[in-house]
Amino acid sequence: MKNVTFLNPEFFWLFVLLPVALLWLVWKRKQQTPTLKISSLKGFQGSRSILATLKPILFVFRIIALSAIIVAMARPRTVDISNKTKTTKGIDIVMAIDVSGSMLAKDLKPNRMESLKRVASGFVNERVNDRIGLVVYAAEAYTKAPVTSDKAVVLEAINSIKYDNVLQDGTAIGMGLTTAVNRLKDSKAKSKIIILMTDGVNNAGFIEPDTAADIASQYGIKVYTIGIGTNGMAEFPYAIAPNGQFLFRMMQVEIDEQMMKTIARKTGGKYFRATGNSKLVQIYSEINKLETTEVEELKFYDYEEKFRPFVWIAGLLLLTEIVLRNTVFRSFI
């Protein structure tokens, strides 16, 4: 009877009547028992008949039978619930990440790039019902992961991000945004989102950020922009030592916030400034809440009725009582 529920538990109130039924049966038994008054019992044998001793079992049978009937009326049953989810309003998301050398700055720990990779991976894991792609850019831009529902592919692409010589150093924000738009322009998703991240100013590429924002708006793509970097000074890499290690020095943080706000405004998005690790986490959490996916959940209930054994028990006990009362205990009635 594990995981049993009752369809009509209100019938359990009938148990309150069982003591009344028991008292009535006892009273009725006394009424049916004949009495004989004599002056002395010395002439009678003192032993008691075994049938007279066992006769109360008939009342026990009836009480148990009534209890079983009450439980059967309460309709015990087990239920097996299976779920099926269906995404009714999916979202396609492309993250466009700046991978220029300045992303190695240490104002976020251990640096901007590693902090961003960690937070972006957590974001991907939470978007279980959406398709996500990844674009990286410096002076140029390319697609590192296509828009896909395979989260393992996207996570692997994020984890493999690093500063190298694949892309010429620089910050081509317009190129990065345009490449992300190309990944989404033919999407049939209900909502199309780009999360554009940079830590500098547009200084490379042949497409202006304003132009890229206009293109995104034409395709109904919303762009959330994130400026990464503290206010003031930060440790930036400026050269590579003979041993291959980066050399750092304090430099002024420069982010074209006005441009990032313009991109967000034109596309219906929002601009954020991540000045530290915790702030970056908060930004992704807010975007996660702003862009919710509607999911239809279907539940299938498979009920298995458990009242039949109680009906059989009640019927068997009542039948046994009737048979015994009209055979073995007949002379005592």
Side-chain angles (χ1 to χ4, degrees), residues 17 33 112 161 174 177:
L17 300 178
T33 303
R112 295 174 180 176
I161 292 176
L177 179 55

Side-chain angles (χ1 to χ4, degrees), residues 15-219:
F15 277 111
V16 176
L17 300 178
L18 284 186
V20 178
L22 181 61
L23 292 175
W24 181 80
L25 289 173
V26 172
W27 175 80
K28 185 177 180 181
R29 180 192 178 194
K30 290 183 178 180
Q31 290 293 103
Q32 293 178 344
T33 303
T35 58
L36 176 65
K37 294 182 179 180
I38 58 177
S39 59
S40 176
L41 296 176
K42 291 182 179 180
F44 294 89
Q45 186 177 359
S47 61
R48 182 178 175 86
S49 170
I50 185 66
L51 293 179
T53 303
L54 294 178
K55 186 177 181 181
I57 198 172
L58 298 178
F59 300 113
V60 174
F61 284 173
R62 186 172 297 185
I63 293 298
I64 295 176
L66 290 174
S67 299
I69 291 173
I70 293 174
V71 174
M73 292 172 64
R75 288 283 297 278
R77 59 184 184 176
T78 57
V79 58
D80 179 29
I81 304 176
S82 58
N83 296 332
K84 181 180 180 180
T85 58
K86 177 184 178 183
T87 302
T88 56
K89 287 190 177 181
I91 298 177
D92 279 357
I93 302 171
V94 171
M95 293 186 289
I97 298 177
D98 185 347
V99 294
S100 58
S102 58
M103 285 292 289
L104 300 177
K106 296 182 178 180
D107 46 353
L108 276 69
K109 304 301 178 184
N111 59 49
R112 295 174 180 176
M113 187 175 293
E114 292 302 319
S115 176
L116 177 58
K117 287 166 59 176
R118 183 167 57 248
V119 177
S121 295
F123 177 81
V124 171
N125 284 323
E126 292 184 6
R127 308 297 299 193
V128 294
N129 298 300
D130 301 319
R131 300 198 311 160
I132 300 177
L134 180 63
V135 167
V136 295
Y137 68 94
E140 305 168 84
Y142 73 92
T143 301
K144 196 168 182 64
V147 178
T148 177
S149 58
D150 190 341
K151 300 302 185 293
V153 171
V154 181
L155 290 172
E156 176 61 29
I158 292 174
N159 291 331
S160 66
I161 292 176
K162 62 181 179 179
Y163 175 75
D164 51 32
N165 294 323
V166 174
L167 297 177
Q168 183 180 351
D169 204 8
T171 305
I173 297 174
M175 296 291 291
L177 179 55
T178 302
T179 303
V181 170
N182 283 333
R183 301 279 68 80
L184 290 174
K185 63 184 180 65
D186 297 323
S187 170
K188 303 300 182 182
K190 198 73 175 180
S191 183
K192 295 176 282 188
I193 305 297
I194 292 175
I195 303 176
L196 176 67
M197 295 153 279
T198 186
D199 66 345
V201 297
N202 186 69
N203 56 20
F206 55 85
I207 299 178
E208 291 297 321
D210 277 349
T211 303
D214 291 335
I215 297 173
S217 179
Q218 291 175 7
Y219 284 105

Side-chain angles (χ1 to χ4, degrees), residues 239-307:
I240 300 178
N243 62 1
Q245 299 295 317
F246 284 99
L247 299 177
F248 291 83
R249 67 183 177 188
M250 297 300 293
M251 298 173 62
Q252 183 68 37
V253 175
E254 295 182 3
I255 299 176
D256 193 344
E257 291 192 284
Q258 187 57 47
M259 178 199 65
M260 300 293 277
K261 291 178 181 178
T262 300
I263 293 174
R265 177 180 53 79
K266 282 186 174 183
T267 60
K270 188 175 181 180
Y271 170 69
F272 303 91
R273 177 68 181 271
T275 55
N277 293 64
S278 60
K279 185 63 177 177
L280 184 60
V281 173
Q282 292 174 12
I283 290 170
Y284 267 90
S285 178
E286 184 172 347
I287 295 175
N288 195 32
K289 293 177 182 177
L290 288 172
E291 297 297 334
T292 56
T293 301
E294 295 185 15
V295 178
E296 180 183 5
E297 182 178 22
L298 302 176
K299 286 190 175 182
F300 301 92
Y301 296 85
D302 182 18
Y303 292 102
E304 183 178 354
E305 298 289 349
K306 298 292 184 180
F307 69 89

